[in-house]
Amino acid sequence: MFEYEIEEAGVESLRLVLKMIESLCDCEIPIPFGEAQQQVEHIYHKYGDGPTTAMITGAARKRNIPVSKGPAGFTILGYGKNQKRISAAISQHTSCISVDIACDKDYMKQFLESAYLPVPDGRLTQEESELLLIAEQLGYPLVTKPFNGNQGRNVTCGIKNFEELLIGFRSAAEISKSVIIEKEIIGYDHRILVIGNKFIAASLRQPASVVGDGVSTISELVETENLSPLRGNGHENVLTKISLDDVTELHLQKQGLHVSFVPASGQQIFLRATANLSTGGTAEDVTDVIHPSNILVAEKASKVIGLDICGIDVISPDITRPFTENGGAIIEVNAAPGLRMHKYPSKGEPRDVGEPIIDLMFKKDDEGRIPIIAITGTNGKTTTTRLMAHTAAYAGYTVGFTSTDGVYVGNERIKTGDCSGPQSARTILQDTTVDFAVLECARGGIIRSGLGFDQCDIAIVTNVAADHLGLKDIYTVEDLAAVKAVVPCSAKKEGWAILNAGNEYAYRMKDMVKCKVALFCSDENNTYLQEHMTNGGSAVYADSHLNVFIYDGTHKIHVFNMKEAPVTRNGKAEFMNENLLPVVLAAYFSGIDTEKIALALKSFIPSAEHTPGRINEFEINGINVIIDYAHNPHGLRALAGYLKHIPEKKTGIITVPGDRRDHDIIEFGEIAASMYDHIIIRFDRDMRGRSEESITELLGQGIRNIKHGFEYQVIADTQSAIHHAVEKAEKGSYVIVCADDAIHTLKITQKVALLYQD
C-alpha cells in the first residue's frame, strides 16, 4: 500500500517494483534503481501539472474548490454548472480575440501605440532587401524576433551592424515568415504580472549564466549547474536546464568566448541575450520596488489588449523610476504567462500568484460546488437514488444522477449499464448543465477507484447486509460495512450522514464520521432512533399509521402518509418505505419545502422505465408477473415482506450470481422455499465462474432444508422459464422473476407478453 500524487506514476512505480522482485526471484540482476527512478519521474512530469497549473490548483484547494482533470487534459475547478476551466494561465474567461492580439506582435504594438503606451520603434518585414533601409531608419542597436514567436525563441539582441542584422533576420525567419525589427531598448528585462487588470507581481529577469571557479570550463560549469534539483526539462521544475546550443555559441562569440573558456573565479558569464526562464534564465522579485506610474502603465496595457491574465515584458534601466524618465518600454504582452518566476524567484520574496487568479474566477466564499447526495448500501440504493433525483428535479433543479442502470442528466439517459462507480460520478460532476447531483456508490467502484468526488453534502446509507462476500478481499459483513463507510466519511463537516437506525452496521457508522448524523427508521419505537431524538438529533420516521415525520432536533414536522407514495404499494412494500424515508430527510436538508417533498414523492410512479427491477408488475394472459432485482438473501427477504400481503399462489423463478459463497446460495434457496408455492431455477447469461450444476445443487439444498421433498424445475433459459411459468400458472396467480440484470429480463418478459397478444 502506497500513496501517490499522480496515478500513472504510482502504477509505474508498482510495475517496476514487481519487475525488480521477479528479477531477484529468478536470480537475475534487477533494473538499476536510478534508471527506475528516472522512468517514474518521466511519467510523473508527463501526466502531472506544470508549475503554473499547480500554483492555480493549489490556490483552488486552499479555498476548498474541487480540482479534476477533464477531457483532453484540461483542468476543471468546481462541479457542474459552477465549474470553471483553465489551461495553464488561460481561464475560460480569457478573451479569444485578446489572445489573438497578444500573439500577433504587430497588432499588439498597434493597440499599445493607439493608447500612447511606451513601445520601441520597429518595422515588420519579410524581405532581406528591406533590412538596410530599416536599419537606416531605426539606427543601431537593433533586435530581431519572429512575428509569432514565444519564450524568447530565435530572438537576437544587441545587433550593431548589418552583418549581425542579417544573421538575426535569418534566425527569426526559421520560425516566422514575417520578422519584427525593433530599436533595442537599453536596460534590464522585467516581467510584470497583471490579473483582472490589477498589478500583482514583478520580476527582474536575468539571462542564463554561470559563475566561474577558475578551474572549470563554461561547458563544465553549465553541466554542474544543470545538476541543481531546481532545474528540469522544459517547464517541469522551478528553473529550466541550460542548453549549450547554436544561440549560446553565437552569444559567446560576440563576447570573444567559447564553451571551452575557463572563467576566472567569481566571473559571471551570460550565455544568452534573452532572459526567458524557458531558456535557463533566473528571476528576482521586484514587486515592492516598482514605481507606481509603471504599475499604471502595465494595468492600462492589460486593459488595452483585453487580457484577464497577462504577463507584460518591459525593458527599463531602472524599474523604480517612471518609464517616461528613463526610456523604458513595453516589448511584449503575453497571454498564458508562466507563473513560476513569481512563486520561485532566485532572489527576493515569493509571491502566491495562483490565489489572485482563483479570486478572479470565483467570488468570495464561492467554492464552485453543487449539492451532492451520495447513496450507498447493500439493497435499495438505486431506488433511493431515483427517488432523490426525482424530488430534486421536482423542486426545479437540473439533476444528474448515476445508478446501476445508467447515467442520467435531466430526463435523458446518456449512458446505459452499471454506472455506480467513480467515472460515472465524474461524468455528472463535469457536466456544465447539472446543478444537483445524486450519485449511487457501489462497493465495486469504491474498492477499485474510490469515489468520483472529494466530498458530498449528504450521504445516505440504506443498509448493509451479506452480498458479494469473498470477493476483492471482502469476507465478512463487517468488511463490507468498512467499504460502505467510505461514503458517509466523505460528507463535509457541516454536511449530513443519514443512517438506517434499523440496521446495526449502518447505525455504527455514526462513530466514524466527522459530519452531523441523522437517522431514519420505519419503526418509530426503534431504540437507537428514540435515543438519538432524545439527545436532540435529527431524524425521519414513520408511525404505526405510516405517517412520516421529520424531527429537526426540537419538534416534529408531518410530511405525508407513506400510502400516498405509489412506490410503497399502499405501504405494503416495507423495503420501499425504508428507501423513501432518507430521501425525505435529504431533501429537507437540501432546503426543499416539505410540501414540495410530499408532492414529488406522490408523483413518482414506479414502472419498468423509472424503477427497472423494483417490483415491476405486468399482466400476461391473466397471470400477474413481477420482475424484481432481489439477487441476495437480504433483498429476497425484503421482497418476501411485500409478497406476504398477496394471498394468491406464487411461482418463483430464481437464480443467483455465481460469484456468491456456497452459504449465500443455500440461504437464498431457503428463503425462496419459504416464499413460493412453485420454484423454477434458471441461469444468468454470465455464470461468474460457477457451473449450472453447482448453482442447481446449492439452491436445491436450500430448498430441501425448508421443504423436504419439495419438487422444483430447472429451465436454464430465462425466456423459456417465464413462458413455461405463465403457461402453467393458475389465472390470477403470480409469477415472480428474480433478475440480476433487470433491464435484460424486462426485455425478455416483454417478448413473452407478445406471444399472448393476438
Side-chain angles (χ1 to χ4, degrees), residues 430-463:
Q430 292 183 0
D431 190 301
T432 57
T433 66
V434 172
D435 58 10
F436 198 106
V438 184
L439 308 174
E440 180 178 340
C441 304
R443 55 160 271 167
I446 296 172
I447 293 172
R448 182 179 65 255
S449 307
L451 303 173
F453 52 90
D454 61 337
Q455 62 183 38
C456 62
D457 297 89
I458 299 170
I460 296 173
V461 183
T462 59
N463 48 66

Side-chain angles (χ1 to χ4, degrees), residues 662 665-666 669 690 693-703:
D662 290 359
I665 299 176
I666 292 170
R690 277 194 188 266
E693 292 77 11
S694 174
I695 289 179
T696 301
E697 173 58 31
L698 293 170
L699 284 174
Q701 181 179 335
I703 293 169

Side-chain angles (χ1 to χ4, degrees), residues 222-244:
V222 168
E223 186 176 347
T224 300
E225 174 61 25
N226 283 340
L227 294 176
S228 168
L230 297 178
R231 291 193 181 271
N233 296 313
H235 294 266
E236 69 183 23
N237 212 334
V238 175
L239 296 174
T240 299
K241 288 184 177 181
I242 300 170
S243 175
L244 290 178

